[in-house]
Amino acid sequence: MGRALWRVVAVWGVSTLTMLALAGILPDFKLQSDDGDSATRIAITAALGAGAFGLLSALVWPLLVRALLLVPALVLGLLNFFLNGSLLLLALRMIPDGRGDANAETAVVVAAVMSAVASATGGALAVRDDDAYRRRLYRLADRRRRRADGAHSPSTPGILFLQLDGVGHDVLTDAVNKGLMPTVARWLGNANATQNQETPPPPPTHRLTPWRTDWSSQTGASQLAILHGSNFDVPAFRWYEKDTGEVMVSNRPASAGELQRRAVARTGDPGLLADGGASRGNLFSGGADQLALVLSMAARRGKENRSRAGYFAYFSDPANAVRTALSFVAEVGREIGESTRARLCRRRPRVSRGGLYPFIRAFATVVERDVVVAAVIGDMLAGRAAVYADLVAYDEVAHHSGPTSGDAERVLRRLDRSLALIAQVADHAPRPYRIVLLSDHGQSPGETFRARYGLTLADLVRAGCGLPVPRRARRTHSGAEARSAVRAALRRPVEEGAGEHRPQRHAEPIVLASGNLGLVSFPDVPHRMTREEIDLRHPALLPTLANHPGVGFLLVRSEEHGALVLGARGAEVRLDDLRSADGPDGLGPLADFGPGAADAVRRTDSFPHTADIMVNSWYDPQEGEVLAFEEQIGSHGGLGGAQSRPFLLAPLALSPAVEDGGELVGAEAVHTVLRRWRDESRGQHKACDQHDTPVDNRRPDPAPPTAFPAADHAVQDKTH
């Protein structure tokens, strides 16, 4: 109690000094009467103003934030400064004899500075006092229990799923070995868990398991299956649906809501987080009751949309907005500095990082991280049964800086500190928690397709169709090669300039990119076009694509032979024949992509909305590099390299994800494992039973039986 009172007095004193300093600097901010006052009187006035501002911030601020939960997130963040300034003006009005005064603009500045200084002072004092920090956590937990009408804390463990978006298995192990992630190192019993190399490493508490993604190695497909048990008919991050005429984009709220509805309808199950769970920072809800920053719910209107409620836990502290804003500005400056250095040093590969990107990066690495971590901490102190949270910072930075860049490594350091904070809070939660760390995919490095060849995939498709291509592409060596391929396939010259051949009665193809996976669709044909139809309409297209050095393989469907994989120099393999292929020589164009490639491609071929032509970029198995069809030097979305190899890191108290020698394949299989672990935490069956029963790593039945009646969630998950 004495230390807590001392911290309050210290923060009050620092706030008073800050107010005095600002009164001397800012001409429109005063702490004395018009006739002037003594130094003692001015100091007393500053102390009264600082005390009143602190008291109003503690009592009034939480009520204001709760009243403004329906305000959009970014608007609320900006509004915090004006509300903070209003509280300061009110505090100044409370000073006797009208000695405190400031105009509105100055009040905003003074309030922001005072909140930042008070927060920094309080944080510094709390860091040095571990006992006080622990007592504060216990008080928060007790307060949560009292609000729950005195309910007893559950005795069964809760489970916390933390997704490090885009962190591949090899990136994680390298970061641990380099000492970048001491918290994860401690869980694995790695020597880098301790500062002193002479100290033996602690015994491991977690088990690391790699797993293999589907062909569509991206968050939309992986997280949908992890949370809802099915990613059937999700061929890429973005794709064209001929029956509706719409382009589906996984991170668009309307599309995410529709994908979630389809998955729930297919499985008959609300999701992994149903029955007391929380979803934080995800694309999909997982059937959770508690939601914050969940994209699939963002398009909804009305009381059922509680996705912004998690902001209250963070913005109820007025200093949080200022602290996050300062970190945001620092991150913007850091990105501008890093991109400028990369440009001056002429680093390769490199992509443009101007425009709004510095602000997008800062939002992902600062705002989203802070709000999600605060929401997770609140969930643990509330004793929720299951929490799934996505931290997207690494994925965003690695796209533009590279998966193994120094920039990305610094993000991993900061993410590890967030993990350490969450683990520390878990020790004080009202119930024990098992922390599972996982990723949804990795990232593969490499140049962009455009940087290497001077044209985009869309340019190459247009050339193969005999359509005009931009002059910049036509003048490149690759553009000339593409046009030569068209002439060779057509056995006639291609007309130049204004007279260039353009089909008049056909709609132009829609070309979409998802990392190093490309999709080509012909919108005027209502069904998936066959190879024969494509060759009849555009005889040069498939040879132009398959023979380009930046393309690894194509997937098309033949009327006569079924699904076909096409490669350079006329290579052609029937997918049905690959079921019994013996060794890499029998895999044809898929040989470099590993033994699981054929199954992944075959599954995508079965989707109703698979594109007419699926294009996977070239892949170098020696260097692990791919060529992104988007402007990214760290990419994911197709086959090739580390993007297809994420990880699961789970406590030893849980049953192994797979048996010894087994392999975990596909995000749907990961859902099965996570659901089993949640059942184990709830005590529904013992972990030892799992060792007696072989783990089935095959994909679950498309429509498995469920213990949840569909009627219970049919209305809740309807988005249209």
Side-chain angles (χ1 to χ4, degrees):
M1 181 67 181
R3 290 183 179 180
L5 180 61
W6 179 80
R7 281 201 308 277
V8 171
V9 173
V11 172
W12 185 14
V14 171
S15 298
T16 300
L17 293 175
T18 303
M19 185 173 280
L20 285 170
L22 292 173
I25 296 172
L26 301 174
D28 295 325
F29 179 45
K30 69 171 190 175
L31 294 173
Q32 57 183 323
S33 64
D34 295 334
D35 298 330
D37 286 317
S38 64
T40 302
R41 183 62 184 174
I42 294 174
I44 294 174
T45 301
L48 291 175
F53 178 62
L55 189 63
L56 288 173
S57 296
L59 299 178
V60 179
W61 184 267
L63 301 178
L64 290 174
V65 174
R66 185 172 290 277
L68 293 170
L69 281 179
L70 294 180
V71 175
L74 292 177
V75 176
L76 178 58
L78 295 174
L79 195 58
N80 282 329
F81 292 99
F82 298 101
L83 293 176
N84 224 3
S86 300
L87 290 180
L88 179 67
L89 287 175
L90 182 58
L92 294 176
R93 297 292 185 271
M94 297 172 63
I95 298 175
D97 302 325
R99 284 181 164 79
D101 190 24
N103 59 32
E105 296 83 356
T106 303
V108 170
V109 174
V110 173
V113 173
M114 289 185 62
S115 295
V117 171
S119 174
T121 304
L125 293 173
V127 165
R128 294 179 176 275
D129 189 352
D130 292 337
D131 292 336
Y133 180 64
R134 292 175 183 272
R135 286 196 298 270
R136 179 175 178 271
L137 294 177
Y138 278 126
R139 285 198 300 272
L140 288 172
D142 289 339
R143 192 182 309 161
R144 298 272 187 176
R145 283 191 286 269
R146 287 196 299 271
R147 289 177 181 174
D149 297 328
H152 295 290
S153 300
S155 58
T156 57
I159 191 163
L160 178 60
F161 303 109
L162 294 176
Q163 177 180 307
L164 299 185
D165 205 299
V167 179
H169 175 272
D170 294 343
V171 167
L172 183 80
T173 55
D174 288 347
V176 168
N177 292 332
K178 291 179 180 178
L180 301 175
M181 305 185 76
T183 303
V184 178
R186 186 174 66 253
W187 292 345
L188 289 172
N190 188 283
N192 288 301
T194 58
Q195 296 286 342
N196 186 357
Q197 296 299 321
E198 297 180 358
T199 304
T205 60
H206 285 62
R207 180 189 297 110
L208 181 63
T209 305
W211 64 278
R212 181 147 45 88
T213 67
D214 305 285
W215 187 4
S216 181
S217 55
Q218 46 87 20
T219 304
S222 292
Q223 197 181 86
L224 182 65
I226 290 171
L227 289 176
H228 289 281
S230 173
N231 60 6
F232 182 80
D233 204 18
V234 181
F237 183 77
R238 52 179 68 85
W239 67 95
Y240 177 73
E241 298 195 340
K242 294 187 175 185
D243 50 350
T244 63
E246 293 184 2
V247 174
M248 298 288 286
V249 184
S250 297
N251 67 351
R252 183 183 296 162
S255 296
E258 174 62 17
L259 292 178
Q260 179 174 310
R261 185 197 65 78
R262 293 178 186 179
V264 171
R266 185 173 182 82
T267 63
D269 190 314
L272 176 69
L273 304 175
D275 188 19
S279 181
R280 309 300 188 189
N282 301 311
L283 294 181
F284 310 103
S285 73
D289 298 322
Q290 299 294 324
L291 307 169
L293 293 174
V294 176
L295 196 72
S296 63
M297 312 299 288
R300 300 187 178 186
R301 297 291 183 267
K303 295 180 180 179
E304 69 276 9
N305 183 1
R306 301 184 299 272
S307 64
R308 297 189 184 95
Y311 283 105
F312 176 75
Y314 187 75
F315 287 114
S316 59
D317 179 358
N320 281 347
V322 177
R323 183 171 58 248
T324 297
L326 295 177
S327 298
F328 182 94
V329 172
E331 187 71 10
V332 170
R334 185 179 295 114
E335 163 56 26
I336 294 174
E338 287 291 335
S339 62
T340 302
R341 188 177 299 111
R343 188 169 59 254
L344 293 176
C345 296
R346 298 185 179 182
R347 294 177 188 164
R348 290 288 186 269
R350 189 179 75 245
V351 294
S352 174
R353 292 157 63 173
L356 292 176
Y357 172 69
F359 300 95
I360 295 172
R361 165 178 164 164
F363 183 85
T365 58
V366 175
V367 180
E368 194 271 352
R369 179 201 64 199
D370 288 353
V371 173
V372 168
V373 169
V376 169
I377 290 174
D379 291 329
M380 288 191 297
L381 295 177
R384 296 199 170 96
V387 183
Y388 194 105
D390 187 10
L391 297 169
V392 302
Y394 171 85
D395 191 61
E396 182 61 46
V397 173
H399 276 314
H400 295 80
S401 301
T404 59
S405 63
D407 231 6
E409 289 184 346
R410 282 186 285 274
V411 173
L412 290 174
R413 285 185 185 274
R414 294 196 291 269
L415 286 175
D416 188 81
R417 289 199 291 269
S418 296
L419 297 178
L421 176 61
I422 290 172
Q424 188 174 13
V425 173
D427 293 337
H428 303 277
R431 69 190 302 170
Y433 274 95
R434 292 168 174 171
I435 300 178
V436 174
L437 199 65
L438 74 156
S439 60
D440 50 344
H441 56 78
Q443 285 206 19
S444 297
E447 280 187 291
T448 68
F449 187 87
R450 178 179 178 178
R452 178 166 294 188
Y453 299 110
L455 78 170
T456 66
L457 178 62
D459 295 334
L460 186 63
V461 170
R462 292 180 65 84
C465 293
L467 296 169
V469 295
R471 290 182 179 178
R472 56 159 178 77
R474 192 182 311 163
R475 291 168 179 168
T476 64
H477 178 68
S478 186
E481 285 183 339
R483 296 175 66 78
S484 297
V486 173
R487 286 195 294 268
L490 295 176
R491 300 185 184 278
R492 64 177 184 266
V494 177
E495 299 175 1
E496 300 289 344
E500 197 167 11
H501 173 65
R502 173 192 285 268
Q504 298 297 322
R505 293 181 295 176
H506 300 313
E508 295 186 2
I510 294 175
V511 183
L512 300 172
S514 296
N516 73 318
L517 178 64
L519 297 87
V520 183
S521 299
F522 295 91
D524 58 331
V525 179
H527 58 272
R528 182 179 173 187
M529 291 185 72
T530 64
R531 177 192 184 171
E532 292 79 4
E533 289 175 312
I534 296 172
D535 284 341
L536 182 63
R537 180 170 175 172
H538 299 295
L541 177 56
L542 293 179
T544 299
L545 292 174
N547 287 299
H548 193 279
V551 172
F553 66 88
L554 311 178
L555 170 67
V556 294
R557 176 159 284 277
S558 169
E559 209 172 291
E560 180 181 357
H561 303 296
L564 294 177
V565 174
L566 308 180
R569 295 178 295 278
E572 178 180 313
V573 180
R574 301 180 188 181
L575 270 181
D576 289 340
D577 294 342
L578 294 180
R579 295 182 187 274
S580 57
D582 185 16
D585 293 339
L587 295 175
L590 296 178
D592 288 340
F593 294 88
D599 290 335
V601 173
R602 185 180 297 109
R603 180 172 183 262
T604 300
D605 177 71
S606 69
F607 294 168
H609 290 112
T610 294
D612 296 328
I613 307 172
M614 301 286 289
V615 185
N616 202 99
S617 86
W618 164 88
Y619 164 58
D620 182 355
Q622 300 300 321
E623 300 295 331
E625 294 184 353
V626 300
L627 297 174
F629 297 125
E630 298 182 87
E631 290 302 296
Q632 299 170 346
I633 59 174
S635 66
H636 57 89
L639 289 175
Q643 62 182 322
S644 301
R645 189 177 167 86
F647 71 89
L648 268 176
L649 182 66
L652 297 175
L654 298 171
S655 60
V658 292
E659 292 184 331
D660 291 341
E663 185 178 20
L664 194 59
V665 179
E668 291 180 355
V670 175
H671 171 85
T672 302
V673 172
L674 299 192
R675 184 175 286 277
R676 186 215 315 157
W677 287 345
R678 189 177 177 193
D679 289 342
E680 291 175 11
S681 295
R682 290 188 290 195
Q684 293 186 5
H685 55 79
K686 296 181 180 179
C688 59
D689 294 338
Q690 297 301 316
H691 300 289
D692 300 330
T693 303
V695 178
D696 186 1
N697 296 317
R698 297 171 299 176
R699 302 189 182 282
D701 187 270
T706 174
F708 299 88
D712 291 346
H713 53 79
V715 175
Q716 176 184 349
D717 288 287
K718 185 176 180 180
T719 57
H720 298 294

